[in-house]
Amino acid sequence: MKLFRTICLLLVAAAIIKVSVRAASILDSITAAPVAALRSEGITGPSTFGAGLDIGYSVNKFVSIHGTALAFEDWRGGVIDESEAYGKANFVKFAGEAVQLYGKGGFVRDWGDEAWATSVGLGAELKLGKQVSLGADYSIRAWFSDREKDSLARALISISF
């Protein structure tokens, strides 16, 4: 009976440790990044400045899933003008993984015009430390409405937890 109780206590302790370790690894996979953005009409037309927040989750060391919320200076009444859900895939890493090039693709929602778009782009990221990196990317967006294609250039500072 005493042996059974000891085994049960060890199993409970092991489960708690496993859950704690798993929770820590989930937090290690989350990133938050303040974003500065420049949206250009018709890819080369006039530009509008915006800012926002990008939240990401690393699925593995090559792929991550992100959500971005942006507000632009031509504010249209809502707190968020555009949001984007996209996947990011690291293609090439240089200098001991301090520099990486990536591709991104996803869907964009413009809340003011109630329009949807697809987005594809390329970017680069420079790791400044274990938890901080500086990045920039450029995307071309094709709208499902009668809007012309546009582009979005972003600069961001990514912080890992």
Side-chain angles (χ1 to χ4, degrees):
M1 182 69 166
K2 201 172 201 178
L3 179 64
F4 180 72
R5 186 172 32 163
T6 304
I7 291 173
C8 288
L9 287 174
L10 287 174
L11 288 174
V12 169
I16 290 171
I17 290 170
K18 185 175 181 179
V19 168
S20 297
V21 169
R22 184 177 292 156
S25 66
I26 289 172
L27 289 178
D28 290 342
S29 299
I30 295 175
T31 60
V35 176
L38 199 59
R39 177 181 63 197
S40 298
E41 296 176 21
I43 300 177
T44 59
S47 298
T48 306
F49 176 75
L53 183 65
D54 183 291
I55 303 292
Y57 176 75
S58 296
V59 176
N60 57 40
K61 69 181 197 174
F62 300 106
V63 177
S64 58
I65 300 167
H66 294 259
T68 303
L70 294 172
F72 290 95
E73 64 184 352
D74 61 348
W75 188 60
R76 292 175 269 177
V79 174
I80 299 171
D81 291 326
E82 289 183 5
S83 50
E84 179 180 16
Y86 67 93
K88 176 177 143 181
N90 299 328
F91 294 140
V92 181
K93 294 183 179 187
F94 300 104
E97 297 190 8
V99 177
Q100 60 187 19
L101 302 177
Y102 61 87
K104 62 180 274 199
F107 293 95
V108 180
R109 171 70 170 168
D110 185 323
W111 297 101
D113 292 343
E114 297 185 3
W116 288 91
T118 58
S119 170
V120 293
L122 295 172
E125 189 171 20
L126 171 65
K127 297 221 181 263
L128 302 176
K130 185 176 179 180
Q131 296 177 316
V132 179
S133 61
L134 180 64
D137 57 43
Y138 179 82
S139 300
I140 295 177
R141 305 168 331 157
W143 295 91
F144 293 119
S145 63
D146 54 356
R147 279 173 63 172
E148 192 174 338
K149 291 178 189 168
D150 64 5
S151 65
L152 185 71
R154 304 183 324 156
L156 50 115
I157 298 173
S158 182
I159 301 163
S160 303
F161 296 102

